[in-house]
Amino acid sequence: MKTRVFVTLKPSVFDPQGKTIVDALRSMGYGAVRDVRQGKYFELDVDASSADEARSVAAEVADKLLANPVIESYRVEVDGK
Amino acid sequence: MKTRVFVTLKPSVFDPQGKTIVDALRSMGYGAVRDVRQGKYFELDVDASSADEARSVAAEVADKLLANPVIESYRVEVDGK
């Protein structure tokens, strides 16, 4: 089952990569982009019999390996749900 | 306007990061995760008067800066659309 995990820095954590992108975009003439936050995106193919099972495996994996819960938060999506 | 850009490696491009994650998960007992592809995720705050305008700015920015069109493809979402 196709599962997507989005990992983003918590709002209180400074994102220097995002800041660098905003500066680069401004110098390229894209002043309309006021802010950028960079995160990570994972597509997992989970062997599960239901969407709920896939979601729970993905959340566990995100907690233990994909995200650092001290500074990052994550969101799980199963097949667009 | 909140805009999300997902950048993923094209299916034909080998993803060693994803492969490493699958191997790590297997050794942690998560054999149910058969495949992982890692990508990048950007949240852009775009100053635009319509969702279509925000989408077009984000797509341009993804093409020119966020993604490498030779090996990566991207998808743009505006406010969940």
Side-chain angles (χ1 to χ4, degrees):
Chain A
M1 202 161 285
K2 209 62 160 193
T3 311
R4 281 166 289 277
V5 177
F6 308 89
V7 177
T8 46
L9 285 170
K10 289 184 177 170
S12 57
V13 179
F14 182 63
D15 177 7
Q17 270 187 295
K19 179 75 174 59
T20 303
I21 293 169
V22 172
D23 291 346
L25 288 176
R26 192 158 300 145
S27 75
M28 290 164 71
Y30 293 101
V33 181
R34 280 180 296 207
D35 189 38
V36 176
R37 303 277 294 175
Q38 176 158 12
K40 286 176 286 184
Y41 170 60
F42 301 91
E43 285 178 356
L44 277 65
D45 182 12
V46 182
D47 185 13
S49 52
S50 69
D52 282 346
E53 193 191 330
R55 178 186 301 276
S56 106
V57 169
E60 226 178 294
V61 157
D63 240 345
K64 292 199 183 161
L65 188 74
L66 304 179
N68 172 355
V70 178
I71 55 166
E72 292 171 332
S73 55
Y74 63 85
R75 189 160 54 84
V76 175
E77 264 180 22
V78 182
D79 271 343
K81 272 172 222 161
Chain B
M1 202 162 285
K2 210 61 161 194
T3 312
R4 281 167 289 277
V5 177
F6 307 90
V7 177
T8 46
L9 285 170
K10 290 184 177 170
S12 57
V13 179
F14 181 64
D15 177 7
Q17 270 188 295
K19 178 76 174 59
T20 303
I21 293 169
V22 172
D23 292 346
L25 288 175
R26 192 158 300 146
S27 75
M28 290 163 71
Y30 292 101
V33 180
R34 281 180 297 208
D35 189 38
V36 175
R37 303 277 293 175
Q38 176 158 13
K40 287 176 285 185
Y41 170 61
F42 300 91
E43 285 178 356
L44 277 64
D45 182 10
V46 182
D47 185 12
S49 52
S50 70
D52 282 347
E53 192 190 330
R55 179 186 300 275
S56 107
V57 169
E60 227 178 293
V61 157
D63 240 344
K64 294 199 182 160
L65 188 74
L66 304 180
N68 173 355
V70 177
I71 55 166
E72 293 170 331
S73 55
Y74 63 86
R75 190 161 53 84
V76 175
E77 264 180 21
V78 182
D79 270 343
K81 273 173 221 161

